[in-house]
Amino acid sequence: MTKAKDIDEYLENLNEKDKAALEKLRQIIKSAAPEAIETISYGMPAFRFHGMLVGFAAWKAHYGFYPWLQRQLLHLAMSLKDS
């Protein structure tokens, strides 16, 4: 996969199944952390909120979800709990 400049471009390079799955994850993250900023980090989609929040990626046989810092992960979990 070529390096994408943003999340939309990253998703456009995926097959429909993977694109749908990661778009759903993207929307969950956006609803839990609406102030987070989308970016590409380490070649994968990521979100920043007071530092790096999470990243995610499609691999050959699985998807990866990568929380960066515990405090951001706890904030995201609390946001999901309240929704």
Side-chain angles (χ1 to χ4, degrees):
M1 180 183 289
T2 61
K3 287 197 174 190
K5 65 178 179 0
D6 57 30
I7 294 178
D8 288 327
E9 187 175 309
Y10 182 93
L11 295 176
E12 284 302 316
N13 289 315
L14 300 177
N15 65 50
E16 289 304 313
K17 178 184 171 231
D18 294 345
K19 181 179 177 180
L22 292 189
E23 182 60 42
K24 184 174 182 178
L25 178 57
R26 179 189 196 184
Q27 294 308 315
I28 291 168
I29 295 166
K30 288 172 79 167
S31 70
E35 297 172 5
I37 298 168
E38 293 186 346
T39 190
I40 296 290
S41 183
Y42 295 97
M44 69 179 120
F47 284 82
R48 290 189 331 246
F49 183 73
H50 301 288
M52 292 306 292
L53 179 60
V54 296
F56 56 92
W59 302 102
K60 184 176 181 180
H62 69 282
Y63 305 119
F65 180 74
Y66 308 99
W68 261 269
L69 298 174
Q70 182 179 9
R71 74 174 186 267
Q72 281 94 345
L73 184 59
L74 292 173
H75 176 79
L76 180 62
M78 294 306 294
S79 296
L80 288 172
K81 178 183 171 194
D82 294 337
S83 60

